[in-house]
Amino acid sequence: MRGLHADTGYLLYRLGLRSGQLFNTFLQESGLRLRHYAVLRFLATSEGALQRELSTRLGYDPSAIVGLVDDLEKLGFAERRPAPDDRRSRIVVLTGDGRAFLRGTDEAGLRVTNDLLGPLGPAERETLHTLLLRIAGDGLA
């Protein structure tokens, strides 16, 4: 019988847990969690998104997106606006305060990544990133 550490899926799972723990620790002071951060990072690369699009692209349950966006609105980091092509729908957009928050997290985020990938050299990190992008394929936002 194979041990757990011989199972690549398990190792990816453990790495994901560790990454989430590190990011949540770094975000703890702001009151946000990794899921909030993911929404903000996604919004930073778009002109706004419908909540159902956020759910699909980030892989979160639609009901979770509602709470995450509510939290971000309370902090002034995101806001809901009428969709230009369907006034019954609302798009979520990043605010200036949300952009400022993300700029302030860039260095700390790099420290978290460096801590996580500490055992790897620069070429190995690039290879890992390339392989993860290939594996994730269209599942990434």
Side-chain angles (χ1 to χ4, degrees):
M1 180 179 287
R2 295 181 330 147
L4 277 176
H5 290 94
D7 185 326
T8 302
Y10 174 76
L11 291 174
L12 287 169
Y13 166 75
R14 291 292 302 185
L15 186 61
L17 282 178
R18 180 71 181 133
S19 176
Q21 290 167 343
L22 288 171
F23 267 93
N24 281 329
T25 298
F26 136 69
L27 290 169
Q28 189 172 21
E29 196 174 291
S30 69
L32 298 182
R33 309 268 306 154
L34 182 56
R35 293 178 144 223
H36 295 100
Y37 185 78
V39 171
L40 291 174
R41 281 283 171 208
F42 180 84
L43 292 174
T45 64
S46 69
E47 295 294 320
L50 296 169
Q51 288 183 173
R52 68 179 165 268
E53 179 185 4
L54 289 171
S55 173
T56 300
R57 299 290 296 247
L58 297 173
Y60 297 161
D61 186 83
S63 62
I65 290 293
V66 172
L68 293 170
V69 173
D70 287 347
D71 294 344
L72 294 172
E73 272 193 316
K74 286 176 190 165
L75 291 169
F77 292 167
E79 64 184 21
R80 292 174 174 101
R81 295 181 184 164
D85 55 341
D86 181 359
R87 297 180 67 158
R88 293 171 296 164
S89 295
R90 313 285 278 170
I91 59 170
V92 181
V93 297
L94 191 63
T95 64
D97 286 347
R99 287 189 193 288
F101 173 80
L102 285 176
R103 278 192 302 277
T105 65
D106 285 343
E107 187 176 318
L110 286 174
R111 281 197 309 270
V112 167
T113 299
N114 285 335
D115 184 28
L116 188 66
L117 302 179
L120 302 179
E124 292 171 312
R125 289 178 186 208
E126 183 62 33
T127 299
L128 175 62
H129 188 83
T130 300
L131 293 171
L132 290 173
L133 283 172
R134 188 184 323 159
I135 292 167
D138 289 337
L140 289 180

